[in-house]
Amino acid sequence: MTTTKIRSFQPNGYQETIKKGLSAIHSFNSGMSLGKDDDIEQLDRLKEEIRAADAIVIGAGAGLSTSAGFTYSGDRFKKWFSDFEEKYGFQDMYSGGFYPYKTKEEFWVYWSRYIYINRYLDAPKDTYTKLYNLVKDKDYFVITTNVDHCFQKAGFDKKRLFYTQGAFL
């Protein structure tokens, strides 16, 4: 087995976590099961596999935050960005992030509000807390593209998190 050497760019606490994650990835080729049972059977099997696992790697993207209630259009968008919709015509937060605002003030009004509701407000549902409760007593590692800090807010150890796209502070 070859070992991947990671260069240290700055002492930020992620280096050790990344090494542990890469080490765990090499053991993925055994002990995994797949199936096509109904949802209840799949959930029961998942709970049993989590219980029996020595270590768990969680990969999470936007779908997990969406399932926790962080939607970027519809009622949630209208509640927080109806003024932007009226003035600029876009109908979702994602589009607003790429809008060519005429002034830096407009740009930062949009982004400060976006960051406030998607980083500092709690998720509407307890999805992350439920996931944490399933793995909190395990050796776990999380790789995520999410920047909303929902993992940390739910209790996940920040030394066991790797934000591949960064994170809002």
Side-chain angles (χ1 to χ4, degrees), residues 19 37-38 40 43 79 84 86 95 104 106 112 117 121 137 147-148 155 161:
K19 286 179 184 177
D37 300 324
D38 67 32
I40 299 298
L43 287 172
K79 175 180 178 179
F84 281 84
E86 185 178 316
S95 299
K104 290 290 184 190
E106 291 172 306
S112 61
I117 68 167
L121 296 183
D137 296 324
V147 298
D148 53 27
L161 300 172

Side-chain angles (χ1 to χ4, degrees), residues 40-152:
I40 299 298
E41 290 171 327
Q42 286 183 17
L43 287 172
D44 288 342
R45 189 171 68 243
L46 177 60
K47 285 180 185 177
E48 176 54 28
E49 290 192 22
I50 289 171
R51 188 200 61 72
D54 293 328
I56 297 173
V57 176
I58 299 168
L64 188 60
S65 288
T66 300
S67 71
F70 276 162
T71 56
Y72 292 87
S73 60
D75 291 341
R76 190 164 178 266
F77 171 76
K78 289 186 183 306
K79 175 180 178 179
W80 291 99
F81 293 98
S82 61
D83 54 338
F84 281 84
E85 181 179 26
E86 185 178 316
K87 184 171 182 178
Y88 303 108
F90 55 82
Q91 298 178 347
D92 62 85
M93 289 181 228
Y94 186 77
S95 299
F98 293 98
Y99 192 86
Y101 300 101
K102 291 182 181 177
T103 68
K104 290 290 184 190
E105 290 80 6
E106 291 172 306
F107 174 88
W108 284 113
V109 166
Y110 175 82
W111 276 104
S112 61
R113 192 181 311 169
Y114 179 96
I115 293 168
Y116 172 72
I117 68 167
N118 292 305
R119 161 57 171 102
Y120 293 98
L121 296 183
D122 290 334
K125 300 177 185 174
D126 63 352
T127 305
Y128 284 89
T129 302
K130 287 179 178 177
L131 179 59
Y132 175 68
N133 287 332
L134 288 172
V135 302
K136 67 182 177 185
D137 296 324
K138 294 290 184 178
D139 184 11
Y140 66 83
F141 183 78
V142 177
I143 302 170
T144 183
T145 57
N146 297 345
V147 298
D148 53 27
H149 282 267
C150 285
F151 282 103
Q152 279 183 261

